[in-house]
Amino acid sequence: QIQLVQSGPEVKKPGESVKISCKASGYTFTQAGMQWLKQAQGKSLKWMGWINTNTGKTTYAADFTGRFVFSLETSASTAYLQITNLKNEDMATYFCASTTGAYWGQGTLVTVSS
Amino acid sequence: DVVLTQTPSILSATIGQSVSISCRSSQSLLDSDGNTYLYWFLQRPGQSPQRLIYLVSNLGSGVPNRFSGSGSGTDFTLKISGVEAEDLGVYYCMQATHAPWTFGGGTKLELK
């Protein structure tokens, strides 16, 4: 069956970086784009952007430019989200999902605390 | 950015009751390709969102047919015909017609 499995929870200090992985299985990785979403505790979902898994082209929402990078390791059917220079407001659960919205990872909680 | 306004924010229902959730958009979600990219998701406590409806009214794979979606332009509705216990959680509408894609604020469905 189709699955997106994300890496485990992270605890980081402000200014550090984090890289979250999202491994796809059960389908051809390059046949569906991958989006990334942020959900702060008790809040709605916020769309961060998406990456074309065929071409590697990235699209970022305005609030997620500069410190946020989407990347791929196509041979491993894996997408990545890297966040650099972490800030307190980056503390949230991050989800990967197919751009159709049909498949979601389980979420990765990033805690930012000094 | 497109603003999606969901009402109500909290919905209390009994098992078997039929309920509706409204999602109003600040601009038309009809795309130039003729599609309307309006989706509905359910997020149960502690879980990832699950896609219920895509393109306004198409039922997602494995989703019970008590769920239905309707609407056009700027006004959309999700209806649950006979709430079951497993339907409790937060419902979100999402639009993917205009970048950035945006979500409504959510509607929490709870038992009365």
Side-chain angles (χ1 to χ4, degrees):
Chain A
Q1 75 280 24
I2 293 173
Q3 277 192 303
L4 298 178
V5 178
Q6 296 183 227
S7 48
E10 301 269 7
V11 180
K12 296 290 184 180
K13 291 180 167 52
E16 293 185 334
S17 297
V18 68
K19 192 170 185 177
I20 299 165
S21 65
C22 171
K23 181 170 177 58
S25 61
Y27 71 100
T28 303
F29 183 64
T30 53
Q31 286 187 340
M34 195 73 76
Q35 57 179 321
W36 289 93
L37 305 103
K38 176 184 179 182
Q39 188 172 40
Q41 179 69 29
K43 302 294 187 184
S44 182
L45 293 145
K46 192 156 188 180
W47 186 73
M48 301 173 68
W50 72 287
I51 183 165
N52 184 318
T53 52
N54 221 354
T55 64
K57 182 180 184 324
T58 53
T59 301
Y60 298 94
D63 286 349
F64 298 100
T65 57
R67 298 188 298 113
F68 302 84
V69 178
F70 308 145
S71 61
L72 301 171
E73 186 178 352
T74 305
S75 61
S77 299
T78 301
Y80 298 94
L81 165 64
Q82 183 169 16
I83 311 171
T84 59
N85 189 20
L86 280 162
K87 303 180 184 305
N88 290 333
E89 55 263 37
D90 295 327
M91 188 157 70
T93 297
Y94 292 86
F95 293 98
C96 62
S98 63
T99 47
T100 62
Y103 306 104
W104 290 67
Q106 81 276 21
T108 296
L109 175 63
V110 175
T111 301
V112 182
S113 174
S114 52
Chain B
D1 297 359
V2 172
V3 176
L4 298 181
T5 303
Q6 284 184 237
T7 54
S9 53
I10 300 176
L11 189 51
S12 296
T14 56
I15 300 300
Q17 183 179 353
S18 292
V19 298
S20 293
I21 299 169
S22 169
C23 177
R24 288 191 169 167
S25 174
S26 60
Q27 54 186 280
S28 175
L29 299 183
L30 176 62
D31 195 32
S32 55
D33 66 4
N35 289 318
T36 299
Y37 294 93
L38 189 283
Y39 300 79
W40 290 95
F41 296 90
L42 165 61
Q43 188 173 30
R44 299 183 177 91
Q47 294 188 19
S48 306
Q50 173 196 3
R51 190 185 71 174
L52 300 173
I53 301 286
Y54 64 97
L55 300 179
V56 179
S57 59
N58 294 276
L59 206 59
S61 177
V63 176
N65 61 11
R66 63 179 178 274
F67 291 95
S68 61
S70 62
S72 63
T74 60
D75 287 346
F76 303 92
T77 301
L78 175 72
K79 183 176 181 180
I80 311 173
S81 299
V83 167
E84 298 195 5
E86 65 181 20
D87 301 338
L88 304 184
V90 181
Y91 290 79
Y92 295 101
C93 57
M94 187 202 89
Q95 68 82 24
T97 297
H98 304 284
W101 302 356
T102 51
F103 286 82
T107 295
K108 184 177 182 180
L109 178 61
E110 57 184 31
L111 275 182
K112 190 181 292 184

